[in-house]
Amino acid sequence: EMTPDEAAFQDKIDADIKIEPRDWMPEGYRKTLIRQIGQHAHSEIVGQLPEGNWITRAPTLERKAILLAKVQDEAGHGLYLYSAAETLGITRDEMTEQLLDGRAKYSSIFNYPTLNWADIGAVGWLVDGAAIMNQVPLQRTSYGPYSRAMIRICKEESFHQRQGYDIVMKMAQGSPEQRKMAQDALNRLWYPSLMMFGPSDKDSVHSAQSMAWKIKINTNDELRQKFVDQTVPQAEFLGLTIPDENLKWNEEKGGYDFSEPDWGEFFDVLKGNGPCNQDRMATRNKAWDDGAWVREGLMAHAEKKRAAKLA
Ligand code: 3HC
């Protein structure tokens, strides 16, 4: 049974009226937004590590400049999202602590390694492709600050996907060794990219409530299906093979039938047992510790300036 406040709130949601920071909102709405926006921001920040690994190893100056711009964009996306989460009453330090001590999640995909340059192409093509599929509907999410952050972020994502696809295209149309590398990258990153959309709907604990509150606009399986339907023709155009022998066009569904990811692997990665979980957390913790002197210096300076103003 809803209280009058909850009923009035749901009426606003149903009327597509954006919820703003100062509006009344159910505690559960606030909590799940802090969870989702915080983890979305963590994903942007941790997501810089696999790609950052290749900035100094890019094959040409142009590729280096493009990758540098993309990784810098991701840092900005993280900052927009942390700012959106702060409007809900959590501080950036609290969110950072939750990431560093493992209480908060970040997207499972970033626990897989980028072994060579073809992986950088496949990450842009598949990971940013999946991210776009997930983030475009999120522009219509009911919480104002999150929706506006998404609109800003989506403007930059298409460049991320295009530059990745361009890398894969060059290699798929390159030497036999390059083609082999492009196919190998697709083989290794295909299923982890499908996992980005979350568990299957029957195992999604938040979907029902998140959809009632229009935090989530489409279900996990809907977006996964759209991603497969969009990506298969792109692989075919490159002459690459999707590593799924069950992949088959289903006329009445108007989409592809495909094999689900290994959900055991998915939940294992979420538990911290993916190929790179330890490495990513160690790197983030080290960055936080190494940056302490800068933060302390800036805070001391700000404090002195404040005191001087008061004097
Ligand atoms: N990686 C890590 N955790 C995941 C996950 C994934 N791929 N998919 C689901 N989970 C977690 C959920 O967070 C939840 O755990 P929690 O309660 O501890 O938070 C649990 O698995 C159950 O999943 P649900 O489907 O019930 O959870 P949600 O309703 O939150 O749906 C989601 C998961 C679709 C990822 C949703 O949270 C979402 O849309 N988040 C915003 C988008 C986002 O975070 N994308 C990350 C990749 S995009 C990116 O990194 C930027 C790009 O530039 C690369």
Side-chain angles (χ1 to χ4, degrees):
E1 188 43 30
M2 281 191 189
T3 66
D5 277 342
E6 286 165 341
F9 175 82
Q10 193 58 49
D11 290 346
K12 284 170 75 175
I13 297 288
D14 297 344
D16 287 331
I17 294 169
K18 286 281 178 272
I19 305 300
E20 295 300 334
R22 274 188 249 289
D23 294 345
W24 184 87
M25 61 183 83
E27 219 21 58
Y29 181 82
R30 179 187 305 279
K31 246 176 89 222
T32 205
L33 277 173
I34 287 176
R35 172 188 66 81
Q36 176 164 331
I37 304 172
Q39 294 181 162
H40 196 161
H42 297 328
S43 302
E44 304 282 1
I45 299 303
V46 176
Q48 294 177 79
L49 296 174
E51 290 180 314
N53 183 25
W54 284 88
I55 290 177
T56 55
R57 302 182 173 95
T60 67
L61 185 59
E62 186 204 17
R63 290 292 186 196
K64 183 203 284 273
I66 292 171
L67 186 56
L68 200 54
K70 176 184 190 297
V71 172
Q72 187 179 343
D73 280 352
E74 309 295 8
H77 295 176
L79 299 187
Y80 303 152
L81 289 163
Y82 283 130
S83 301
E86 283 176 318
T87 65
L88 290 156
I90 186 169
T91 68
R92 185 143 339 164
D93 281 358
E94 284 166 328
M95 285 185 274
T96 302
E97 250 168 69
Q98 288 172 1
L99 170 66
L100 297 182
D101 68 18
R103 274 176 293 149
K105 294 183 168 72
Y106 54 89
S107 189
S108 50
I109 184 70
F110 299 123
N111 290 310
Y112 290 84
T114 44
L115 303 174
N116 56 48
W117 184 251
D119 287 13
I120 295 302
V123 163
W125 173 31
L126 301 173
V127 173
D128 289 87
I132 290 171
M133 200 55 82
N134 164 284
Q135 290 175 146
V136 165
L138 273 176
Q139 294 176 109
R140 300 197 313 279
T141 192
S142 57
Y143 187 55
Y146 193 24
S147 156
R148 293 188 288 274
M150 278 296 100
I151 291 168
R152 177 93 187 261
I153 286 172
C154 285
K155 287 190 179 21
E156 295 173 336
E157 285 292 0
S158 48
F159 146 62
H160 298 174
Q161 203 257 2
R162 289 294 323 148
Q163 62 85 38
Y165 191 67
D166 185 53
I167 291 174
V168 180
M169 185 159 27
K170 288 281 182 312
M171 297 186 79
Q173 293 164 354
S175 67
E177 293 77 13
Q178 286 178 313
R179 288 185 55 73
K180 212 161 124 299
M181 285 173 72
Q183 182 61 57
D184 171 56
L186 174 55
N187 293 346
R188 283 182 289 104
L189 288 168
W190 172 254
Y191 288 105
S193 299
L194 297 188
M195 294 177 194
M196 287 174 69
F197 295 95
S200 45
D201 291 348
K202 61 182 182 358
D203 300 327
S204 171
V205 293
H206 300 298
S207 280
Q209 184 58 69
S210 287
M211 291 190 72
W213 280 332
K214 294 189 186 171
I215 292 172
K216 185 178 270 190
I217 309 297
N218 304 86
T219 73
N220 300 356
D221 288 334
E222 270 169 30
L223 292 181
R224 196 178 350 262
Q225 180 68 55
K226 274 181 74 174
F227 173 73
V228 171
D229 292 346
Q230 166 188 289
T231 310
V232 170
Q234 293 172 345
E236 283 169 354
F237 175 76
L238 296 179
L240 297 178
T241 309
I242 301 282
D244 175 2
E245 68 283 353
N246 301 323
L247 186 74
K248 198 168 56 50
W249 179 257
N250 176 326
E251 196 45 48
E252 66 262 22
K253 175 165 106 175
Y256 286 93
D257 289 335
F258 59 96
S259 305
E260 296 263 304
D262 172 350
W263 294 117
E265 177 184 329
F266 170 75
F267 286 110
D268 219 14
V269 173
L270 258 54
K271 275 209 296 281
N273 307 323
C276 300
N277 295 58
Q278 313 294 340
D279 182 52
R280 303 296 183 222
M281 293 305 282
T283 306
R284 290 306 321 148
N285 273 284
K286 183 173 180 332
W288 178 255
D289 297 342
D290 290 354
W293 68 275
V294 177
R295 290 193 301 278
E296 281 148 24
L298 287 172
M299 298 304 277
H301 180 66
E303 191 43 44
K304 257 196 336 226
K305 269 176 57 181
R306 214 175 55 82
K309 242 200 284 195
L310 292 180

